[in-house]
Structure formats: C-alpha cells, structure tokens
Amino acid sequence: MLASGMAKSPRMLIPAPPTYPAMPPALRLRTLPEGPADAGFAAGAALASLHAMAIDEHPIGSLWRDRLALTSAAALMGFLGRTEDEAALRDAVKLTRPGDDPGPGGKVLIGWRRLVERRTLLADDRWLTASAVLQLPIDDRLHDVYAVAERLAKGEGNPVAAAAEIVAVTMKFRPDAELLALWLADAIVASRLKWLRPVPLLAAEIKRKDLRSAPDHLNGDGRWPITCAAAYARAAARASDLHADLCRKAARLLEVAPKLRNKHADTVLLVLLMEDAQTARSATDAISERSARRLFERLETLGAVRELTGRSTFRLYGL
C-alpha cells in the first residue's frame, strides 16, 4: 500500500502503432518496365502507397527510417570496396565511443542517418553536413550540384524525375560523389512529396554501373530514368513491408508493457520504438546499466525484443 500523500506514477501513454494496407502485388515490379511512362507510373503509385507511412508521426517511423538507413549503408559498402554487413555497421556506430572514429562504413551509416534526422530539407548546413560526413571536398562543381538540388527540392511535379535528374547532375559534375547523388535523390523526393523527413530508398536498389551511366540522361540518351523509377518502385515495396513488420513487433512490445515493473520501463520501450538498437548502457540515463540489462532480458523472454548480435558480451537489443 502506498504511504499517505504518495501516488503511483502514471504509465506513459504510447500510442498503438498504425496499420496500413499492404502494397498491391501489381506495384511490385518483377521485371524492368520497357518505357519511361510505365516505370514512372509504377514508381509514382508505389510512393503514393508509401505516403501515409512517411507522413505519420508515430515513434515507429523513426525506427523505420533508422533500419532503412542501415540497409542503405550496407548496400553501399560494395561502392567503397568494403564488405561490412548490417551487423558490422551497427557495431561500428553503436559500440564506438563518442568522438572515436567509426571507420569508413560507420561514417556512411551516420551519413544516411543524418539524412532522416531533421525535418528541414533545404537548410544550407544540411548539404554541407552531407559533404562533411561523406568526406567530400567542396569545390565550385559541388556548389553547382547543391544549387541544382535546391532548385529541384523547391519545385513541383514528378518527384522521381527530379531524383533522376539530381543523380545525373551529381555524377556529371562530381563522379566521385556517388553516395551523395543517392543521398540527394531521397532528400528531393521527400521535399517534393512534403514528407516530414526523408525515407532512405534508392541506395539499396541501384547498381553502380547504372549510377555511372546516369549522366547520359542529360544528353537525352540511356535508360537512367527507367532504371531510377523502377528502383524507387522496388524500394517503396520493400519499405512498406518493413514498416508492417516493425508495426507488428511494436504491437507485441506494447502488449507486454503492463507486465513490466521497472518504473522507467516505458521510457526504454519508447527508445526501442524509435531506434535500431540499444545497449544496456545507452538505453536511457534514467536507468542503471544493470537494470536495463535485466529489463532487456525480460523483454527478450517475453518475445518482445531480439538480441541482435548473438554475443554474450557487448550485446545489442532491438525490435
């Protein structure tokens, strides 16, 4: 029984995760469309199907973008001649102390997470941040690329056509900036569609040889607009499936919440709903590392979180 004058702290109210219809099979491209009109229609319809998820403000949206950023970064390792997978990139960022170098792969992941962390798409420092994180020297040609990006981001009309154009322009003026080209494409799509934050899409679905041929589009040649549109259609379908999966897992996490007795449990649950992975130390300052570890183990036993590494030490937990 509580002592006189004391009241039990109320539980934090975390809203149930949203649910959306699955992306129709007709929008899941199995082959590359023959013409730009068909590819553009498929991409536009797939992005329209993704729109409700992209503008929703439930905390799960942050985790969704975080996981897509991780997938994008892993896909780009081949561009750098590296072999890190998602688990290695997660370790590089999550287990590196503040101020330490996370390595080339970790920096790419940080760059893609910077893409999605702020609402403002057009602030000058956003472009400069991308240059710094992706370690690109800034010259007049890069300033020209950013000027085109500003124009396209503020424009109206077909977002995928704008994304294809910024990739082609970037690769023409700065062929060393392959990663930036893909980064800018997703930023411009989000700006055109009035999304709250960008959604990492294109990098995981594009091949390097296609990226290198993108400048041909500026001369009216090549199939880059078709390739880019088809990649966005595939990426949107994959992102839709991931969102549905994470919402199912979030529902399970909230289902077990009443069984938790730790007074900071709801704060930890909210962090798990918003970020890819947590250590017992990083979960929240409100709880000790030992208590967080017990809480994570309890959630794992209840089937509400996963241990993501398979290790006995330096463990990471997430949905």
Side-chain angles (χ1 to χ4, degrees):
M1 186 173 180
L2 294 172
S4 176
M6 295 179 63
K8 186 176 180 180
S9 298
R11 297 297 297 262
M12 182 187 301
L13 181 61
I14 302 176
T19 58
Y20 300 104
M23 189 165 290
L27 299 183
R28 298 174 180 272
L29 294 185
R30 305 302 180 191
T31 58
L32 187 66
E34 288 297 323
D38 290 339
F41 175 81
L47 289 173
S49 181
L50 206 66
H51 183 72
M53 303 167 208
I55 65 172
D56 191 279
E57 295 195 65
H58 190 278
I60 200 69
S62 294
L63 172 57
W64 178 53
R65 288 172 169 85
D66 219 11
R67 288 278 169 87
L68 289 171
L70 178 62
T71 299
S72 296
L76 292 169
M77 289 301 97
F79 284 53
L80 303 178
R82 304 187 65 84
T83 60
E84 289 98 327
D85 59 9
E86 292 187 10
L89 292 175
R90 183 184 279 128
D91 278 358
V93 171
K94 202 63 187 178
L95 301 181
T96 300
R97 294 178 180 179
D100 288 350
D101 187 350
K107 288 176 182 175
V108 173
L109 176 54
I110 290 170
W112 252 253
R113 286 181 172 168
R114 292 279 176 87
L115 171 68
V116 304
E117 69 184 8
R118 289 186 294 176
R119 294 171 184 259
T120 303
L121 291 175
L122 305 177
D124 290 341
D125 68 330
R126 188 173 188 83
W127 310 131
L128 298 177
T129 295
S131 301
V133 173
L134 298 176
Q135 297 183 301
L136 289 170
I138 298 176
D139 58 11
D140 289 344
R141 285 177 171 263
L142 195 59
H143 279 297
D144 290 342
V145 168
Y146 288 151
V148 175
E150 287 283 326
R151 173 179 61 80
L152 291 172
K154 294 175 181 177
E156 301 291 337
N158 188 333
V160 176
E165 182 176 346
I166 194 57
V167 170
V169 168
T170 305
M171 293 302 296
K172 177 180 179 179
F173 289 107
R174 284 294 298 267
D176 62 321
E178 295 169 319
L179 273 59
L180 179 66
L182 298 167
W183 193 97
L184 291 173
D186 286 341
I188 287 169
V189 165
S191 183
R192 286 283 181 103
L193 293 174
K194 305 296 189 294
W195 288 353
L196 300 173
R197 295 180 179 86
V199 178
L201 294 171
L202 187 59
E205 295 291 342
I206 213 71
K207 295 179 179 177
R208 196 177 192 185
K209 64 179 181 64
D210 293 323
L211 198 60
R212 288 176 170 176
S213 69
D216 294 342
H217 166 57
L218 301 176
N219 300 321
D221 299 324
R223 289 174 59 82
W224 169 242
I226 298 174
T227 301
C228 184
Y232 267 111
R234 293 192 303 269
R238 177 176 49 79
S240 176
D241 292 342
L242 175 64
H243 194 278
D245 181 56
L246 291 175
C247 285
R248 286 190 292 269
K249 292 175 178 177
R252 174 58 184 166
L253 185 68
L254 297 181
E255 180 183 326
V256 306
K259 300 179 181 180
L260 305 174
R261 295 293 175 259
N262 190 298
K263 65 180 180 179
H264 298 297
D266 290 340
T267 301
V268 174
L269 298 190
L270 184 59
V271 173
L272 287 167
L273 285 174
M274 297 180 70
E275 298 181 14
D276 169 54
Q278 295 298 322
T279 66
R281 179 176 298 177
S282 68
T284 172
D285 293 336
I287 188 173
S288 71
E289 184 176 349
R290 183 179 179 183
S291 294
R293 186 178 300 110
R294 288 200 302 266
L295 178 56
F296 284 140
E297 289 171 354
R298 171 69 169 151
L299 287 169
E300 188 179 16
T301 299
L302 293 170
V305 302
R306 295 180 295 143
E307 200 288 310
L308 301 170
T309 70
R311 296 188 295 251
S312 58
T313 58
F314 301 109
R315 310 187 87 192
L316 293 171
Y317 295 88
L319 265 61

